[in-house]
Amino acid sequence: MTETQQRFLREIAERVSPDRVLELYLFPSIRQGGMESGVAVFAAEEERAFSPEEDADVAASAVDDQEPLDPDAPAPITRFVVYSASYRLTLKGHERGAWDAEVTAEADAPLHTIDDVVRGVQKRTGERGDAHRLTGDAFRSALIEPAWAVHD
């Protein structure tokens, strides 16, 4: 992982709590015309509106008010927020060093949806290499380790 890619991961962590990130796909950077750009797609848990203690209180009160669940009913599908992120770094010219990054919530979907999104990005960009997959724990580790120490 390059220092620029690690900077990109830190930028993502400033906008989405690292504890929420479940998995992230970091695509190889592209250098073209004095610019470097990169893209990532990741899934995160939905942001909590309550503290864990408040969640427990809300859940307990909701159970008191609900009818018993049907044991034969299918389990509800857990949904996550799928994000896209991109950066652009100017390498040459009078704006050398200029940095711009965006992180956008794209969808509320089941976790397996991220695989479809990754394949779609690869197809649209004609990406030659595979995206580098980071688990949530690997993402959090990459934020604190030196770039040269982060490996596959």
Side-chain angles (χ1 to χ4, degrees):
M1 177 175 301
T2 67
E3 289 181 22
T4 303
Q5 288 173 320
Q6 191 174 37
R7 177 181 180 184
F8 182 39
L9 295 182
R10 286 193 301 268
E11 185 82 34
I12 291 169
E14 287 179 12
R15 299 175 190 211
V16 176
S17 172
D19 293 336
R20 292 178 44 216
V21 175
L22 299 170
E23 66 180 2
L24 180 141
Y25 291 84
L26 181 62
F27 291 86
S29 301
I30 298 172
R31 288 184 176 208
Q32 186 175 17
M35 303 289 278
E36 178 179 326
S37 60
V39 175
V41 175
F42 64 100
E45 294 176 337
E46 291 183 333
E47 193 167 12
R48 292 177 177 250
F50 302 103
S51 70
E53 295 81 20
E54 291 170 320
D55 278 345
D57 292 342
V58 169
S61 66
V63 168
D64 293 340
D65 297 335
Q66 292 180 350
E67 296 180 26
L69 296 176
D70 179 0
D72 297 326
I77 296 174
T78 303
R79 300 177 77 80
F80 300 93
V81 181
V82 177
Y83 290 87
S84 66
S86 62
Y87 76 87
R88 178 173 283 199
L89 173 63
T90 304
L91 301 171
K92 296 179 182 178
H94 68 281
E95 292 189 19
R96 182 178 181 191
W99 173 267
D100 182 45
E102 293 184 15
V103 176
T104 306
E106 300 288 352
D108 173 26
L111 188 57
H112 66 82
T113 304
I114 196 166
D115 294 330
D116 296 334
V117 174
V118 169
R119 281 192 299 277
V121 170
Q122 288 172 323
K123 185 176 181 178
R124 280 191 303 278
T125 62
E127 191 58 53
R128 298 176 303 278
D130 288 333
H132 181 78
R133 180 182 180 271
L134 297 171
T135 63
D137 288 339
F139 169 70
R140 289 180 282 281
S141 292
L143 298 173
I144 57 175
E145 293 181 19
W148 53 265
V150 179
H151 50 80
D152 296 338

